Structure formats: structure tokens, C-alpha cells
Amino acid sequence: MTSPGIVPPKGARDGQLLQGQSLAVRLANFVKLPHTVFAMPFSLVGVLFASVIAPVTPATVGWVLLAFTSARFAAMAFNRLVDRDVDALNPRTAMRELPAGTLTVGQARFSIAGSSALFVLASSMLNPLCLALSPVALLWVLGYSYTKRFTRWSHLWLGLGLAIAPVGGYLAVTGEWSQPWWLLCVLAFAVVCWSGGFDMIYALQDAEFDAKHGLYSVPSKFGVVRGIMISRTLHLLAVVAFSVVAAAQPLGPATPLVDGLLWAGVVGIALMLLWEHRLVKADDLTKVDAAFFTMNGLIAMGFLACVFTARMLLPESP
């Protein structure tokens, strides 16, 4: 049953769904599997930055990808489980798997338990530090599901959850913090601002619904116009932080071409964020889906491509 009096804004949708009715497809849609493209590339960026410190094996990359995917699966499934009653009231989300009955609560709980165990297993296969930190990371990403009940800044909580990806990728290879110590902090801050900003854009679709149902978000608290401005501010900070990362020469002293590729990645992020905000207008949310999914997918994959190419052009490997 949808909530009376709530009409989603023009263009609002719960997109990026796979076609089909098999259990595998339903589970993939349950956790919005295509959204993996946002943060997974940054886990590999962390691996690439760490590869100039310690050797990287195919097994390490495999365990990193499994750890990331399983943690994200657990977090998204838990979010859908916690929000199932609210989703049933929202016209935009009423057809999600749990409200619609295409998945059961038992299946959701089983998938959360299984993916959480898989995350801890993958972490244990990397190194003792990753294993020790795995419960902390898991509790943080699961905890996000409750944040809209008590803080309008849930977007930043989500952002920090995604920022675990590059930090985890780096620690998986080295087993220790970066030198200089602030490099991983700035990289994580960049991902927090980037992902927190685009989550605010996505939340524009539910500003009215959230406000009427006592759910906290930046758009529901400050309105759509100010919500867009806050998102823009965060994205400006993200570009500054990515610039600091590039200036720190995370791949070590290298040729102008290598440094230029890192800076090209930063410029690409800036240009795509600029275009993203040209797509979103307070009185027209018809292009939110393109701004949210397409542009941010390109940002993550584009930056990874620049870092990977730069790493391959280094004269020596450890």
C-alpha cells in the first residue's frame, strides 16, 4: 500500500534493474548489483597505489574483489531488510523485492548472513590486519541502514562506508598504513565527499516522502535547492582532495607522463561532476538517473583506468 498524498517528482525511478525472474536476478536487483561500479574501482585504485610498496598477486586481487562485493551485498541487503516497511509506503520503492513479495524476509536474512561470513573469510585470506578490521568495517556499513532515523547526514555515513574500499585495497596488499600517513586519509575523504554528494542527488527524489515520514536527509531538511548546493560543495571538496592525492605522487617519483595520467584522472572527475550537476535541476529531476548512475560509474571507472595505465608505465615493479 502506497503512502497517500505522496507523488514522486517527475523522473523519479528506482533504476538499474536487471531483467528476469530467476532467484539470481532477484538477488542482484535486491542489492542493486550494477551500483557495484561506484566503489569497486576505488578498491583497485588502493591496490594499485599499494603495488609500488609490495608485490600484488592475482590471488590478492581476487580476495579484494570478493571482500568488497560480499561486504557491499551484506550492506545493501541489510538496508533493504531494515527499510522494507518504509519502502512499501513510498510509491518509488513499493515494488522492491521485499515489499512486493518476490523475496522473503528469510531469504534476505540468509543472504546477509552468508555474504557477511564470506566477507570475513575473504579478509582472513588477505592478512591479519584486514581480518582484525573486518568486523569494524562490517558494522559500519550495516549501521548505515539506521542513520536516516537520527541524522540528516546519513549521506556522509554512506560515503565513509564506500571510502573503506580504497583503504581496504591498500591494506590488503601492504598490511600497514600508508606513508605519508595522510595519503589514505585524503583519498578516503575524497571518496566520502564524492559519494556523499551523489547520494544527496539520489535522495532528491524522496525529499517530500522523507519529510512527511520523519526520515532524515539533506534534501528533506534543507529542501531540494539547498540540497543541490550542498552536493555541489561536497563535489568541489572531492576534486580538491583528489588533486592532493595526485600531487602526493602515490605511485612514487615517476615520469611526467605517469604524473600527467594521474592529473588527467582528476581533471576527468572534475569535468564529469560538472556535467552531472548540469543534468540535475531543482524543478526537473528527469535526469537524476543519468546523473547518479552513468556519470558516477564513468568517474570511478575513468579514474581507475588512468591510475592503472600510469602504474603500467612505471619503469620498475617491486
Side-chain angles (χ1 to χ4, degrees):
M1 179 178 180
T2 58
S3 181
I6 300 292
V7 178
K10 182 181 178 182
R13 60 189 293 250
D14 195 36
Q16 296 86 53
L17 298 177
L18 304 178
Q19 298 299 314
Q21 295 299 320
S22 68
L23 179 59
V25 169
R26 281 179 283 143
L27 285 172
N29 288 333
F30 182 51
V31 298
K32 287 292 184 72
L33 189 63
H35 289 189
T36 306
V37 73
F38 295 151
M40 179 179 283
F42 282 100
S43 67
L44 297 177
V45 166
V47 169
L48 289 168
F49 286 170
S51 69
V52 299
I53 307 298
V56 177
T57 66
T60 298
V61 175
W63 288 116
V64 166
L65 294 178
L66 181 59
F68 173 84
T69 303
S70 56
R72 186 193 171 278
F73 191 110
M76 283 295 296
F78 189 70
N79 181 254
R80 294 293 188 258
L81 181 66
V82 170
D83 281 354
R84 63 190 186 278
D85 294 337
V86 174
D87 284 344
L89 297 173
N90 188 339
R92 187 180 68 82
T93 60
M95 292 309 296
R96 284 178 176 173
E97 289 70 23
L98 289 180
T102 56
L103 283 179
T104 67
V105 170
Q107 288 172 321
R109 288 172 175 163
F110 182 81
S111 70
I112 294 165
S115 54
S116 297
L118 199 58
F119 170 64
V120 175
L121 172 64
S123 300
S124 72
M125 297 301 294
L126 289 167
N127 55 56
L129 179 60
C130 289
L131 176 59
L133 292 176
S134 62
V136 179
L138 193 59
L139 287 173
W140 184 270
V141 297
L142 295 181
Y144 161 73
S145 298
Y146 295 104
T147 55
K148 288 186 71 173
R149 273 74 172 172
F150 64 85
T151 176
R152 68 182 70 103
W153 301 108
S154 58
H155 319 280
L156 299 184
W157 188 296
L158 173 66
L160 189 54
L162 295 184
I164 293 173
V167 175
Y170 189 97
L171 297 179
V173 174
T174 64
E176 58 185 27
W177 200 255
S178 65
Q179 293 294 332
W181 66 267
W182 48 263
L183 177 61
L184 283 182
C185 296
V186 176
L187 179 58
F189 178 75
V191 174
V192 169
C193 293
W194 165 63
S195 53
F198 75 63
D199 189 59
M200 288 180 193
I201 290 175
Y202 197 68
L204 295 173
Q205 302 177 107
D206 296 325
E208 180 188 356
F209 177 86
D210 289 347
K212 287 190 175 182
H213 287 81
L215 298 174
Y216 296 88
S217 73
V218 163
S220 70
K221 173 64 178 180
F222 299 110
V224 171
V225 173
R226 292 182 68 187
I228 292 174
M229 292 304 298
I230 294 171
S231 173
R232 289 177 179 174
T233 301
L234 284 173
H235 283 162
L236 178 61
L237 290 173
V239 172
V240 171
F242 279 120
S243 299
V244 173
V245 171
Q249 294 184 308
L251 296 175
T255 64
L257 178 57
V258 170
D259 289 339
L261 281 166
L262 294 180
W263 281 106
V266 175
V267 171
I269 289 173
L271 291 176
M272 283 185 277
L273 285 175
L274 181 62
W275 187 253
E276 180 175 330
H277 284 278
R278 287 178 62 87
L279 292 174
V280 178
K281 297 178 175 60
D283 60 350
D284 182 6
L285 300 182
T286 57
K287 296 181 180 178
V288 162
D289 198 55
F292 173 75
F293 182 72
T294 305
M295 298 311 299
N296 289 298
L298 289 173
I299 284 171
M301 295 301 296
F303 189 69
L304 172 62
C306 288
V307 174
F308 177 79
T309 304
R311 179 64 183 88
M312 293 301 100
L313 291 174
L314 289 179
E316 296 181 0
S317 299

Short mmCIF file of all heavy atoms in Angstrom, two decimals, residues 258-309:
data_model
loop_
_atom_site.label_atom_id
_atom_site.label_comp_id
_atom_site.label_asym_id
_atom_site.label_seq_id
_atom_site.Cartn_x
_atom_site.Cartn_y
_atom_site.Cartn_z
N VAL A 258 53.52 9.67 -16.35
CA VAL A 258 52.80 9.00 -15.27
C VAL A 258 52.05 10.01 -14.42
O VAL A 258 50.86 9.85 -14.12
CB VAL A 258 53.77 8.17 -14.41
CG1 VAL A 258 53.07 7.68 -13.13
CG2 VAL A 258 54.30 6.98 -15.20
N ASP A 259 52.74 11.07 -14.01
CA ASP A 259 52.08 12.11 -13.22
C ASP A 259 50.94 12.75 -14.01
O ASP A 259 49.87 13.05 -13.46
CB ASP A 259 53.09 13.18 -12.81
CG ASP A 259 54.07 12.69 -11.76
OD1 ASP A 259 53.74 11.70 -11.06
OD2 ASP A 259 55.16 13.28 -11.63
N GLY A 260 51.17 12.94 -15.31
CA GLY A 260 50.14 13.54 -16.15
C GLY A 260 48.88 12.70 -16.23
O GLY A 260 47.76 13.23 -16.27
N LEU A 261 49.05 11.38 -16.24
CA LEU A 261 47.88 10.50 -16.26
C LEU A 261 47.07 10.60 -14.97
O LEU A 261 45.83 10.58 -15.00
CB LEU A 261 48.33 9.05 -16.49
CG LEU A 261 48.67 8.69 -17.93
CD1 LEU A 261 49.42 7.36 -17.99
CD2 LEU A 261 47.40 8.62 -18.78
N LEU A 262 47.75 10.71 -13.84
CA LEU A 262 47.02 10.88 -12.58
C LEU A 262 46.24 12.18 -12.58
O LEU A 262 45.09 12.24 -12.15
CB LEU A 262 47.99 10.83 -11.41
CG LEU A 262 48.70 9.49 -11.16
CD1 LEU A 262 49.63 9.61 -9.96
CD2 LEU A 262 47.69 8.37 -10.94
N TRP A 263 46.89 13.25 -13.07
CA TRP A 263 46.20 14.53 -13.14
C TRP A 263 45.07 14.50 -14.16
O TRP A 263 44.03 15.15 -13.97
CB TRP A 263 47.18 15.65 -13.45
CG TRP A 263 47.95 16.07 -12.24
CD1 TRP A 263 49.25 15.81 -11.95
CD2 TRP A 263 47.44 16.83 -11.14
NE1 TRP A 263 49.60 16.35 -10.73
CE2 TRP A 263 48.51 16.98 -10.22
CE3 TRP A 263 46.21 17.39 -10.84
CZ2 TRP A 263 48.37 17.68 -9.01
CZ3 TRP A 263 46.05 18.08 -9.64
CH2 TRP A 263 47.11 18.22 -8.74
N ALA A 264 45.24 13.73 -15.23
CA ALA A 264 44.15 13.57 -16.20
C ALA A 264 42.94 12.92 -15.55
O ALA A 264 41.78 13.27 -15.85
CB ALA A 264 44.62 12.74 -17.40
N GLY A 265 43.20 11.96 -14.64
CA GLY A 265 42.11 11.34 -13.90
C GLY A 265 41.36 12.34 -13.05
O GLY A 265 40.13 12.32 -12.97
N VAL A 266 42.10 13.24 -12.40
CA VAL A 266 41.47 14.27 -11.56
C VAL A 266 40.66 15.24 -12.42
O VAL A 266 39.52 15.60 -12.07
CB VAL A 266 42.54 15.03 -10.75
CG1 VAL A 266 41.89 16.18 -9.96
CG2 VAL A 266 43.27 14.08 -9.80
N VAL A 267 41.24 15.66 -13.54
CA VAL A 267 40.51 16.56 -14.45
C VAL A 267 39.24 15.88 -14.97
O VAL A 267 38.18 16.52 -15.06
CB VAL A 267 41.42 17.00 -15.61
CG1 VAL A 267 40.61 17.76 -16.67
CG2 VAL A 267 42.56 17.87 -15.10
N GLY A 268 39.35 14.60 -15.28
CA GLY A 268 38.18 13.86 -15.74
C GLY A 268 37.08 13.84 -14.68
O GLY A 268 35.89 14.02 -14.99
N ILE A 269 37.47 13.63 -13.43
CA ILE A 269 36.48 13.66 -12.34
C ILE A 269 35.80 15.02 -12.27
O ILE A 269 34.57 15.11 -12.15
CB ILE A 269 37.17 13.33 -10.99
CG1 ILE A 269 37.56 11.85 -10.94
CG2 ILE A 269 36.24 13.67 -9.82
CD1 ILE A 269 38.38 11.48 -9.73
N ALA A 270 36.60 16.09 -12.34
CA ALA A 270 36.04 17.44 -12.25
C ALA A 270 35.06 17.71 -13.39
O ALA A 270 33.96 18.25 -13.16
CB ALA A 270 37.17 18.47 -12.27
N LEU A 271 35.43 17.33 -14.61
CA LEU A 271 34.56 17.59 -15.75
C LEU A 271 33.27 16.78 -15.68
O LEU A 271 32.18 17.29 -15.99
CB LEU A 271 35.31 17.26 -17.05
CG LEU A 271 36.47 18.20 -17.40
CD1 LEU A 271 37.19 17.70 -18.66
CD2 LEU A 271 35.98 19.63 -17.60
N MET A 272 33.37 15.52 -15.25
CA MET A 272 32.16 14.70 -15.17
C MET A 272 31.24 15.15 -14.04
O MET A 272 30.01 15.08 -14.16
CB MET A 272 32.54 13.23 -15.05
CG MET A 272 32.99 12.63 -16.38
SD MET A 272 33.32 10.86 -16.35
CE MET A 272 35.01 10.87 -15.72
N LEU A 273 31.82 15.62 -12.93
CA LEU A 273 30.98 16.16 -11.86
C LEU A 273 30.30 17.44 -12.32
O LEU A 273 29.13 17.69 -11.97
CB LEU A 273 31.83 16.42 -10.61
CG LEU A 273 32.24 15.19 -9.82
CD1 LEU A 273 33.17 15.57 -8.68
CD2 LEU A 273 31.02 14.45 -9.27
N LEU A 274 31.01 18.25 -13.08
CA LEU A 274 30.40 19.46 -13.62
C LEU A 274 29.21 19.11 -14.50
O LEU A 274 28.14 19.72 -14.40
CB LEU A 274 31.44 20.26 -14.41
CG LEU A 274 30.96 21.57 -15.03
CD1 LEU A 274 30.52 22.54 -13.95
CD2 LEU A 274 32.05 22.18 -15.90
N TRP A 275 29.40 18.12 -15.37
CA TRP A 275 28.30 17.70 -16.24
C TRP A 275 27.16 17.08 -15.43
O TRP A 275 25.98 17.29 -15.75
CB TRP A 275 28.81 16.71 -17.28
CG TRP A 275 27.77 16.38 -18.31
CD1 TRP A 275 27.07 15.23 -18.44
CD2 TRP A 275 27.31 17.25 -19.35
NE1 TRP A 275 26.20 15.30 -19.50
CE2 TRP A 275 26.32 16.54 -20.07
CE3 TRP A 275 27.63 18.56 -19.72
CZ2 TRP A 275 25.66 17.10 -21.15
CZ3 TRP A 275 26.96 19.12 -20.81
CH2 TRP A 275 26.00 18.39 -21.50
N GLU A 276 27.51 16.33 -14.39
CA GLU A 276 26.49 15.72 -13.53
C GLU A 276 25.56 16.79 -12.96
O GLU A 276 24.33 16.62 -12.93
CB GLU A 276 27.18 14.95 -12.40
CG GLU A 276 26.24 14.26 -11.43
CD GLU A 276 26.98 13.41 -10.42
OE1 GLU A 276 28.07 12.90 -10.74
OE2 GLU A 276 26.47 13.27 -9.29
N HIS A 277 26.14 17.90 -12.53
CA HIS A 277 25.31 18.94 -11.93
C HIS A 277 24.58 19.78 -12.98
O HIS A 277 23.61 20.47 -12.64
CB HIS A 277 26.17 19.82 -11.01
CG HIS A 277 26.49 19.14 -9.71
ND1 HIS A 277 25.60 19.13 -8.65
CD2 HIS A 277 27.57 18.41 -9.31
CE1 HIS A 277 26.12 18.43 -7.66
NE2 HIS A 277 27.31 17.99 -8.02
N ARG A 278 25.01 19.70 -14.22
CA ARG A 278 24.23 20.34 -15.29
C ARG A 278 22.99 19.51 -15.62
O ARG A 278 22.01 20.05 -16.14
CB ARG A 278 25.09 20.49 -16.55
CG ARG A 278 26.15 21.58 -16.46
CD ARG A 278 26.99 21.64 -17.73
NE ARG A 278 26.18 21.97 -18.88
CZ ARG A 278 25.90 23.20 -19.29
NH1 ARG A 278 26.35 24.24 -18.59
NH2 ARG A 278 25.15 23.41 -20.36
N LEU A 279 23.03 18.24 -15.31
CA LEU A 279 21.89 17.37 -15.59
C LEU A 279 20.77 17.52 -14.56
O LEU A 279 19.60 17.23 -14.86
CB LEU A 279 22.33 15.90 -15.62
CG LEU A 279 23.25 15.48 -16.76
CD1 LEU A 279 23.71 14.04 -16.56
CD2 LEU A 279 22.56 15.63 -18.11
N VAL A 280 21.12 17.92 -13.33
CA VAL A 280 20.15 17.94 -12.23
C VAL A 280 19.69 19.37 -11.96
O VAL A 280 20.50 20.25 -11.69
CB VAL A 280 20.76 17.35 -10.95
CG1 VAL A 280 19.76 17.41 -9.81
CG2 VAL A 280 21.20 15.91 -11.20
N LYS A 281 18.38 19.58 -12.03
CA LYS A 281 17.80 20.88 -11.75
C LYS A 281 16.70 20.71 -10.71
O LYS A 281 16.02 19.69 -10.66
CB LYS A 281 17.24 21.52 -13.02
CG LYS A 281 18.30 21.79 -14.09
CD LYS A 281 17.67 22.37 -15.34
CE LYS A 281 18.73 22.76 -16.36
NZ LYS A 281 19.57 21.61 -16.77
N ALA A 282 16.54 21.72 -9.88
CA ALA A 282 15.58 21.62 -8.79
C ALA A 282 14.15 21.39 -9.28
O ALA A 282 13.35 20.72 -8.61
CB ALA A 282 15.62 22.90 -7.94
N ASP A 283 13.82 21.90 -10.46
CA ASP A 283 12.46 21.75 -10.99
C ASP A 283 12.35 20.65 -12.04
O ASP A 283 11.31 20.51 -12.70
CB ASP A 283 11.98 23.08 -11.56
CG ASP A 283 12.87 23.60 -12.69
OD1 ASP A 283 13.95 23.01 -12.88
OD2 ASP A 283 12.49 24.57 -13.36
N ASP A 284 13.42 19.89 -12.23
CA ASP A 284 13.38 18.82 -13.22
C ASP A 284 14.36 17.72 -12.82
O ASP A 284 15.57 17.85 -12.98
CB ASP A 284 13.74 19.36 -14.60
CG ASP A 284 13.67 18.29 -15.69
OD1 ASP A 284 13.23 17.16 -15.39
OD2 ASP A 284 14.05 18.59 -16.84
N LEU A 285 13.82 16.62 -12.29
CA LEU A 285 14.65 15.51 -11.84
C LEU A 285 14.62 14.35 -12.83
O LEU A 285 14.98 13.22 -12.48
CB LEU A 285 14.18 15.03 -10.46
CG LEU A 285 14.23 16.06 -9.33
CD1 LEU A 285 13.78 15.44 -8.01
CD2 LEU A 285 15.62 16.66 -9.18
N THR A 286 14.23 14.62 -14.07
CA THR A 286 14.11 13.55 -15.05
C THR A 286 15.46 12.93 -15.41
O THR A 286 15.51 11.80 -15.91
CB THR A 286 13.45 14.06 -16.35
OG1 THR A 286 14.21 15.15 -16.87
CG2 THR A 286 12.03 14.52 -16.08
N LYS A 287 16.55 13.66 -15.14
CA LYS A 287 17.87 13.15 -15.50
C LYS A 287 18.69 12.73 -14.27
O LYS A 287 19.91 12.54 -14.37
CB LYS A 287 18.63 14.19 -16.31
CG LYS A 287 17.97 14.49 -17.65
CD LYS A 287 18.74 15.52 -18.46
CE LYS A 287 18.05 15.79 -19.79
NZ LYS A 287 18.77 16.83 -20.57
N VAL A 288 18.01 12.59 -13.14
CA VAL A 288 18.72 12.15 -11.93
C VAL A 288 19.35 10.79 -12.13
O VAL A 288 20.48 10.53 -11.69
CB VAL A 288 17.77 12.13 -10.71
CG1 VAL A 288 18.35 11.28 -9.58
CG2 VAL A 288 17.52 13.54 -10.20
N ASP A 289 18.64 9.89 -12.82
CA ASP A 289 19.18 8.55 -13.01
C ASP A 289 20.48 8.58 -13.80
O ASP A 289 21.45 7.90 -13.45
CB ASP A 289 18.15 7.68 -13.73
CG ASP A 289 18.44 6.19 -13.57
OD1 ASP A 289 18.55 5.74 -12.42
OD2 ASP A 289 18.57 5.50 -14.59
N ALA A 290 20.52 9.38 -14.86
CA ALA A 290 21.76 9.51 -15.64
C ALA A 290 22.86 10.16 -14.83
O ALA A 290 24.02 9.74 -14.88
CB ALA A 290 21.48 10.32 -16.91
N ALA A 291 22.49 11.18 -14.06
CA ALA A 291 23.49 11.87 -13.24
C ALA A 291 24.04 10.94 -12.17
O ALA A 291 25.24 10.90 -11.91
CB ALA A 291 22.87 13.11 -12.59
N PHE A 292 23.15 10.18 -11.55
CA PHE A 292 23.55 9.31 -10.43
C PHE A 292 24.33 8.10 -10.90
O PHE A 292 25.44 7.83 -10.41
CB PHE A 292 22.30 8.86 -9.68
CG PHE A 292 22.57 7.84 -8.60
CD1 PHE A 292 23.15 8.21 -7.40
CD2 PHE A 292 22.25 6.50 -8.79
CE1 PHE A 292 23.40 7.27 -6.41
CE2 PHE A 292 22.49 5.56 -7.80
CZ PHE A 292 23.07 5.95 -6.61
N PHE A 293 23.80 7.37 -11.85
CA PHE A 293 24.42 6.10 -12.23
C PHE A 293 25.48 6.26 -13.32
O PHE A 293 26.63 5.88 -13.14
CB PHE A 293 23.35 5.12 -12.70
CG PHE A 293 23.90 3.77 -13.07
CD1 PHE A 293 24.35 2.90 -12.08
CD2 PHE A 293 23.98 3.37 -14.38
CE1 PHE A 293 24.87 1.66 -12.40
CE2 PHE A 293 24.49 2.14 -14.73
CZ PHE A 293 24.94 1.28 -13.73
N THR A 294 25.09 6.84 -14.44
CA THR A 294 26.01 6.90 -15.58
C THR A 294 27.25 7.73 -15.26
O THR A 294 28.38 7.27 -15.46
CB THR A 294 25.29 7.48 -16.81
OG1 THR A 294 24.11 6.72 -17.07
CG2 THR A 294 26.20 7.45 -18.02
N MET A 295 27.06 8.94 -14.79
CA MET A 295 28.19 9.83 -14.58
C MET A 295 29.12 9.31 -13.48
O MET A 295 30.35 9.34 -13.61
CB MET A 295 27.72 11.24 -14.25
CG MET A 295 26.90 11.90 -15.35
SD MET A 295 27.67 11.80 -16.99
CE MET A 295 29.19 12.69 -16.72
N ASN A 296 28.55 8.80 -12.39
CA ASN A 296 29.41 8.33 -11.30
C ASN A 296 30.09 7.01 -11.63
O ASN A 296 31.21 6.75 -11.18
CB ASN A 296 28.60 8.23 -10.00
CG ASN A 296 28.24 9.60 -9.47
OD1 ASN A 296 29.11 10.40 -9.13
ND2 ASN A 296 26.96 9.90 -9.41
N GLY A 297 29.43 6.19 -12.44
CA GLY A 297 30.11 4.99 -12.93
C GLY A 297 31.30 5.35 -13.80
O GLY A 297 32.38 4.76 -13.69
N LEU A 298 31.12 6.36 -14.67
CA LEU A 298 32.22 6.82 -15.52
C LEU A 298 33.35 7.43 -14.69
O LEU A 298 34.53 7.26 -15.01
CB LEU A 298 31.71 7.83 -16.53
CG LEU A 298 30.83 7.28 -17.66
CD1 LEU A 298 30.25 8.41 -18.49
CD2 LEU A 298 31.63 6.32 -18.54
N ILE A 299 32.99 8.14 -13.64
CA ILE A 299 34.01 8.75 -12.77
C ILE A 299 34.90 7.67 -12.15
O ILE A 299 36.13 7.74 -12.21
CB ILE A 299 33.34 9.59 -11.67
CG1 ILE A 299 32.84 10.92 -12.26
CG2 ILE A 299 34.31 9.86 -10.50
CD1 ILE A 299 31.99 11.72 -11.32
N ALA A 300 34.28 6.66 -11.57
CA ALA A 300 35.04 5.60 -10.90
C ALA A 300 35.87 4.80 -11.89
O ALA A 300 37.07 4.57 -11.67
CB ALA A 300 34.08 4.68 -10.13
N MET A 301 35.26 4.38 -12.99
CA MET A 301 35.98 3.57 -13.97
C MET A 301 37.05 4.39 -14.69
O MET A 301 38.14 3.88 -14.99
CB MET A 301 35.00 2.98 -14.98
CG MET A 301 34.01 1.99 -14.39
SD MET A 301 34.82 0.56 -13.61
CE MET A 301 35.61 -0.19 -15.04
N GLY A 302 36.75 5.66 -14.96
CA GLY A 302 37.73 6.51 -15.63
C GLY A 302 38.96 6.76 -14.78
O GLY A 302 40.09 6.71 -15.28
N PHE A 303 38.75 7.02 -13.49
CA PHE A 303 39.89 7.26 -12.61
C PHE A 303 40.73 5.99 -12.47
O PHE A 303 41.97 6.04 -12.50
CB PHE A 303 39.41 7.74 -11.24
CG PHE A 303 40.53 8.22 -10.35
CD1 PHE A 303 41.21 9.39 -10.64
CD2 PHE A 303 40.88 7.50 -9.21
CE1 PHE A 303 42.25 9.84 -9.82
CE2 PHE A 303 41.91 7.94 -8.39
CZ PHE A 303 42.60 9.11 -8.70
N LEU A 304 40.06 4.83 -12.34
CA LEU A 304 40.79 3.57 -12.27
C LEU A 304 41.61 3.35 -13.53
O LEU A 304 42.78 2.92 -13.46
CB LEU A 304 39.82 2.41 -12.07
CG LEU A 304 40.42 1.00 -12.17
CD1 LEU A 304 41.48 0.78 -11.09
CD2 LEU A 304 39.33 -0.06 -12.08
N ALA A 305 41.04 3.65 -14.69
CA ALA A 305 41.76 3.46 -15.96
C ALA A 305 43.02 4.33 -16.00
O ALA A 305 44.08 3.87 -16.45
CB ALA A 305 40.85 3.78 -17.13
N CYS A 306 42.92 5.56 -15.52
CA CYS A 306 44.08 6.45 -15.52
C CYS A 306 45.16 5.94 -14.57
O CYS A 306 46.35 5.91 -14.91
CB CYS A 306 43.66 7.86 -15.12
SG CYS A 306 42.72 8.73 -16.39
N VAL A 307 44.75 5.50 -13.37
CA VAL A 307 45.72 5.00 -12.39
C VAL A 307 46.36 3.71 -12.89
O VAL A 307 47.58 3.51 -12.77
CB VAL A 307 45.04 4.78 -11.02
CG1 VAL A 307 46.01 4.12 -10.04
CG2 VAL A 307 44.55 6.11 -10.45
N PHE A 308 45.56 2.82 -13.47
CA PHE A 308 46.09 1.55 -13.98
C PHE A 308 47.11 1.80 -15.09
O PHE A 308 48.20 1.20 -15.11
CB PHE A 308 44.95 0.68 -14.49
CG PHE A 308 45.42 -0.63 -15.10
CD1 PHE A 308 45.77 -1.69 -14.29
CD2 PHE A 308 45.50 -0.78 -16.48
CE1 PHE A 308 46.22 -2.89 -14.84
CE2 PHE A 308 45.94 -1.96 -17.04
CZ PHE A 308 46.29 -3.03 -16.22
N THR A 309 46.77 2.69 -16.03
CA THR A 309 47.68 2.99 -17.13
C THR A 309 48.97 3.60 -16.60
O THR A 309 50.08 3.24 -17.05
CB THR A 309 47.02 3.94 -18.14
OG1 THR A 309 45.79 3.36 -18.59
CG2 THR A 309 47.92 4.17 -19.33
#
